[in-house]
Amino acid sequence: MYKLLKWFAVCTSIVMLFVLIGGALVTKTGSGMGCGRSWPLCHGELIPSNIDFALIVELSHRIVSGLAALMVLTLAIWAWRVIGHKRETKFLALLSFLVLILQALIGAAAVMWGQSSAVLALHFGISLISFASVFLLTLLIFEVDKKFDAETLIVDRRMSFHIIGIIVYCYLVVYSGALVRHVGASLACPSWPSCTRNGLGIPTQMHEWIQMGHRAAAGLIVVWIVYVTILAIKKYKHQPVIKIGWIICSILVLSQATTGALVVLTNLNIFVALLHALIISCLFGVLSYFLMLVTRNKTNQVKLNNQTTKSNRVGGGD
């Protein structure tokens, strides 16, 4: 039964990734109005009569999102019953479902009434939180086997600062990237890394400033994550969860920067653009796990103190 829960959790996380990628595909192909102003039906029909590419993309995204909602609800209830004793389970179970519903409502509102680019850019960010909560719930299920060796891990103040700072900043970078797409500024600067449309090498109008602002923000997070990875390799040699986790983050953020450049250089190749969205989703998931480890510091410190006290008593008795 428990093994089945693990498999279901993994499948649910994968489906949530498909929701993220599907949403990115809708945006990048301009298929947001593929079903017209009608939701959840397409052009007011249960089975659309006039089918085109935009309709297929939009309707497929809605179907996958509906499937994800059912799977997330099932996972939340199942995990609550099986590992509800773990501190984070109930919070993540509620968060995963509620944020997914919020994501669906924002998407529906955008279809039925339209939204500004600034609001639409939030949609991908909310999708990230929804995926991260399901991903963390999945990791909690696997943690029961104690394979991650995270039960007594204490993240020091310096590393905690970097983890919290990077995940908050990462969310802002993601928002800036989504804003680039929704305002149509993806090719405002057709060269990389500089903006040379006008031969000046610097932005000269709003779309260029949005594009170059995102590039600058993305460049900073690359440097920050690589720096913390070096720090983790030096200071956390005997704690593989931290060390290996940051190495994975560095690989992901460098891949993210590479695909970001290729999106421009390949003139918005759809496969490169979707890979770009996939990589940032995985990176945010790993960073979210680090954040969960930070929230356990006090609890793990108490456990460690109790173990030390118990050991001292046993030693004194001998």
Side-chain angles (χ1 to χ4, degrees):
M1 189 70 173
Y2 186 70
K3 186 176 181 180
L4 183 60
L5 174 59
K6 284 184 174 181
W7 278 107
F8 186 77
V10 171
C11 290
T12 304
S13 295
I14 293 173
V15 170
M16 286 301 299
L17 275 178
F18 278 113
V19 172
L20 274 167
I21 301 305
L25 181 63
V26 168
T27 300
K28 294 177 189 302
T29 58
S31 303
M33 297 306 297
C35 288
R37 291 288 180 188
S38 172
W39 189 92
L41 302 177
C42 259
H43 298 295
E45 300 175 309
L46 180 61
I47 301 177
S49 53
N50 297 318
I51 299 175
D52 57 17
F53 177 76
L55 185 145
I56 293 173
V57 173
E58 172 66 12
L59 183 58
S60 298
H61 178 55
R62 293 187 187 184
I63 292 172
V64 173
S65 297
L67 174 63
L70 293 175
M71 293 182 70
V72 169
L73 178 60
T74 302
L75 178 64
I77 296 172
W78 198 350
W80 191 304
R81 296 184 62 181
V82 175
I83 61 167
H85 60 279
K86 291 184 72 70
R87 185 172 65 92
E88 301 93 352
T89 301
K90 294 178 181 179
F91 170 75
L92 289 174
L94 288 171
L95 181 67
S96 60
F97 186 71
L98 293 177
V99 175
L100 183 61
I101 296 301
L102 175 62
Q103 174 189 348
L105 291 176
I106 291 177
V111 168
M112 297 175 69
W113 302 296
Q115 296 288 346
S116 66
S117 297
V119 173
L120 287 174
L122 284 174
H123 193 250
F124 187 75
I126 293 173
S127 300
L128 268 186
I129 294 175
S130 183
F131 164 71
S133 59
V134 173
F135 178 67
L136 291 181
L137 200 54
T138 300
L139 291 181
L140 276 181
I141 294 169
F142 278 84
E143 268 191 1
V144 173
D145 293 338
K146 298 185 178 180
K147 292 180 179 179
F148 291 173
D149 190 27
E151 292 296 320
T152 58
L153 177 63
I154 297 175
V155 183
D156 64 40
R157 184 174 297 180
R158 183 183 183 187
M159 182 60 73
S160 296
F161 167 79
H162 286 302
I163 289 172
I164 295 171
I166 286 177
I167 194 169
V168 171
Y169 184 70
C170 179
Y171 196 81
L172 296 176
V173 174
V174 168
Y175 178 80
S176 70
L179 187 62
V180 166
R181 293 193 301 271
H182 284 289
V183 301
S186 297
L187 291 178
C189 297
S191 59
W192 192 92
S194 63
C195 190
T196 58
R197 179 184 289 275
N198 298 307
L200 301 176
I202 58 173
T204 57
Q205 48 97 357
M206 183 57 66
H207 279 52
E208 291 178 355
W209 278 110
I210 293 174
Q211 170 64 244
M212 291 304 295
H214 173 63
R215 291 187 193 181
L220 178 56
I221 199 171
V222 170
V223 174
W224 197 352
I225 287 179
V226 170
Y227 166 74
V228 178
T229 299
I230 295 171
L231 184 66
I233 292 173
K234 291 181 178 179
K235 302 294 184 180
Y236 287 81
K237 295 179 180 178
H238 305 296
Q239 294 174 318
V241 172
I242 296 293
K243 184 177 72 173
I244 296 175
W246 277 112
I247 291 173
I248 292 172
C249 283
S250 279
I251 294 172
L252 288 172
V253 78
L254 290 171
S255 300
Q256 178 74 359
T258 301
T259 54
L262 289 175
V263 166
V264 175
L265 297 177
T266 60
N267 196 30
L268 301 182
N269 180 277
I270 189 64
F271 297 106
V272 176
L274 293 180
L275 181 60
H276 191 61
L278 175 63
I279 293 172
I280 194 61
S281 303
C282 295
L283 175 62
F284 192 80
V286 178
L287 291 173
S288 297
Y289 182 63
F290 283 151
L291 183 62
M292 187 170 71
L293 292 180
V294 171
T295 65
R296 293 176 174 175
N297 273 346
K298 289 185 179 179
T299 303
N300 288 349
Q301 185 66 60
V302 171
K303 288 181 181 178
L304 188 60
N305 291 340
N306 290 339
Q307 290 174 2
T308 302
T309 302
K310 187 176 180 180
S311 298
N312 290 337
R313 286 176 180 174
V314 172
D318 292 338

